[in-house]
Amino acid sequence: MIRTLLSLLTAVLLMTGCVQKEPSGPERPWREFMMDLIQPEQLCMLEGEGTELLSSYDRTGGNDDFNSFVADAGNGWKVIADLKGPGVIRRFWMTGSDYGHPVRIFIDGEDTPRIEGTMETLFGDMYPWVHPLAQYVNMCFYSYVPITFARSIRIETKGPNTHPIWGPRKIYFHLNVEDLSGTRVQSYPKELSEADRRAVGQRALRPGTVRATTASV
């Protein structure tokens, strides 16, 4: 009898731990996530539900850490990430494909991508994805522009192309994702407000400036 009660209690506790917290409190605006980049005290704060690294690592346990996609989206598109919110992608890194390779990001279940472009435009040539927040350097594309999502996010790219000299391409990617369960979050804005642009201006050069090409990532 006691063993049965303990088993039931354990099951209830486990189920309680798996229930996602309902977002509460005031909505945290996107620009605050941008301002985190210039607040070094954030490094020592232990708030939040934790972070996760999503990558193209070899699911078989080998060393072929490329072209490992979440799903096939049809018409040659591959899913890099398909996540439930609230959350924020703090870092987005890709390599292994050529200029002109498309990437698109759907937020909160929308049918139209809220963010889209080729790798070179998305990582360095499209505001606010500009240097030093995003650029191409050392054969890699990277961005620290926070991508917040209240309900969901899906990131897609075209499958690897075939280079006329190098043959089939190998797409590698990293995504640093922060779980914001229990927090009300403003999703990445469709249009940046003046306050958003001021926040970007704390960390990025204005559109039309020359990108650096020698910085380390």
Side-chain angles (χ1 to χ4, degrees):
M1 181 66 178
I2 295 177
R3 181 177 297 178
T4 301
L5 289 174
L6 287 175
S7 298
L8 289 172
L9 178 60
T10 301
V12 170
L13 290 174
L14 288 173
M15 291 177 64
T16 303
C18 293
V19 175
Q20 189 175 25
K21 298 178 183 178
E22 286 295 324
S24 60
E27 181 181 78
R28 189 179 183 197
W30 174 81
R31 61 181 174 272
E32 286 191 4
F33 292 90
M34 179 64 70
M35 294 302 294
D36 287 345
L37 294 171
I38 60 172
Q39 296 175 350
E41 63 271 18
Q42 290 286 332
L43 296 173
C44 61
M45 292 184 178
L46 301 179
E47 300 175 353
E49 298 294 327
T51 60
E52 180 182 8
L53 174 65
L54 304 181
S55 76
S56 55
Y57 77 94
D58 190 343
R59 271 61 173 175
T60 68
N63 196 38
D64 293 333
D65 299 318
F66 54 85
N67 296 346
S68 295
F69 304 106
V70 173
D72 191 333
N75 297 321
W77 288 90
K78 304 294 182 180
V79 180
I80 290 179
D82 191 359
L83 306 170
K84 299 301 182 183
V88 55
I89 295 176
R90 295 285 191 175
R91 170 178 169 267
F92 186 7
W93 176 94
M94 290 186 72
T95 190
S97 194
D98 303 309
Y99 272 42
H101 202 83
V103 178
R104 60 189 186 185
I105 303 175
F106 299 86
I107 295 178
D108 294 342
E110 295 173 342
D111 294 328
T112 301
R114 188 170 297 195
I115 306 167
E116 63 179 328
T118 59
M119 293 181 74
E120 68 272 19
T121 58
L122 191 60
F123 295 92
D125 283 337
M126 183 176 72
Y127 192 80
W129 301 58
V130 294
H131 170 72
L133 296 171
Q135 65 174 332
Y136 172 78
V137 63
N138 296 340
M139 301 180 68
C140 300
F141 298 90
Y142 79 90
S143 169
Y144 285 93
V145 175
I147 313 174
T148 51
F149 51 101
R151 297 194 303 276
S152 66
I153 189 169
R154 189 173 80 254
I155 302 178
E156 300 178 357
T157 187
K158 278 285 189 178
N161 60 305
T162 299
H163 192 277
I165 297 177
W166 309 115
R169 303 298 273 158
K170 301 174 180 179
I171 296 179
Y172 300 77
F173 58 85
H174 294 167
L175 295 167
N176 292 84
V177 185
E178 182 179 351
D179 181 3
L180 297 175
S181 297
T183 303
R184 292 185 65 232
V185 178
Q186 177 195 10
S187 295
Y188 183 91
K190 294 181 180 179
E191 294 185 10
L192 299 188
S193 67
E194 186 57 37
D196 293 333
R197 289 179 174 272
R198 285 197 299 269
V200 174
Q202 298 291 321
R203 288 296 298 127
L205 300 177
R206 292 300 181 182
T209 55
V210 177
R211 290 185 297 151
T213 57
T214 58
S216 59
V217 181

